[in-house]
Amino acid sequence: MCSSGGVAIHTACRDLQLGDCELAIAGGVNLTIDPRKYLDLCKVGLLGSHPGSRSFAAGDGMLPAEGVGAVLLKRLDRAIADGDTILAVIKGTAVN
């Protein structure tokens, strides 16, 4: 429901490409602080009907949860030159 993590990664990648930094940490957090969130989602029919609900294929709704994620980003050429372990490569990003 929020793309702030994706925007953070996009911004970090752009800054790495422009040479504004050599390393970047990007991430996102989702916290449910107010129980009205669940009431409002229920009112508009977005919540799943049971704990095993799925959001997409054969799904009947979403089950929001709390979470946090972060990635350490570095230009691929620098990571290779430094002998870093590379877990993934970002091919491109965009923000509309």
Side-chain angles (χ1 to χ4, degrees):
M1 295 177 53
C2 181
S3 63
S4 61
V7 172
I9 290 171
H10 172 77
T11 303
C13 288
R14 186 192 62 214
D15 289 347
L16 286 163
Q17 288 174 332
L18 293 174
D20 291 342
C21 60
E22 292 187 26
L23 293 172
I25 298 173
V29 175
N30 183 46
L31 298 175
T32 301
I33 300 169
D34 190 335
R36 287 179 293 187
K37 172 182 177 178
Y38 291 98
L39 296 172
D40 292 341
L41 289 172
C42 188
K43 284 179 187 175
V44 295
L46 291 177
L47 284 183
S49 63
H50 60 282
S53 292
R54 296 180 183 269
S55 297
F56 300 107
D60 70 347
M62 61 177 271
L63 297 174
E66 294 184 334
V68 61
V71 291
L72 175 64
L73 302 173
K74 189 180 210 181
R75 289 179 50 99
L76 182 58
D77 59 341
R78 288 295 318 162
I80 292 170
D82 293 346
D84 294 341
T85 299
I86 299 169
L87 301 176
V89 175
I90 298 172
K91 297 283 189 172
T93 67
V95 174
N96 64 6

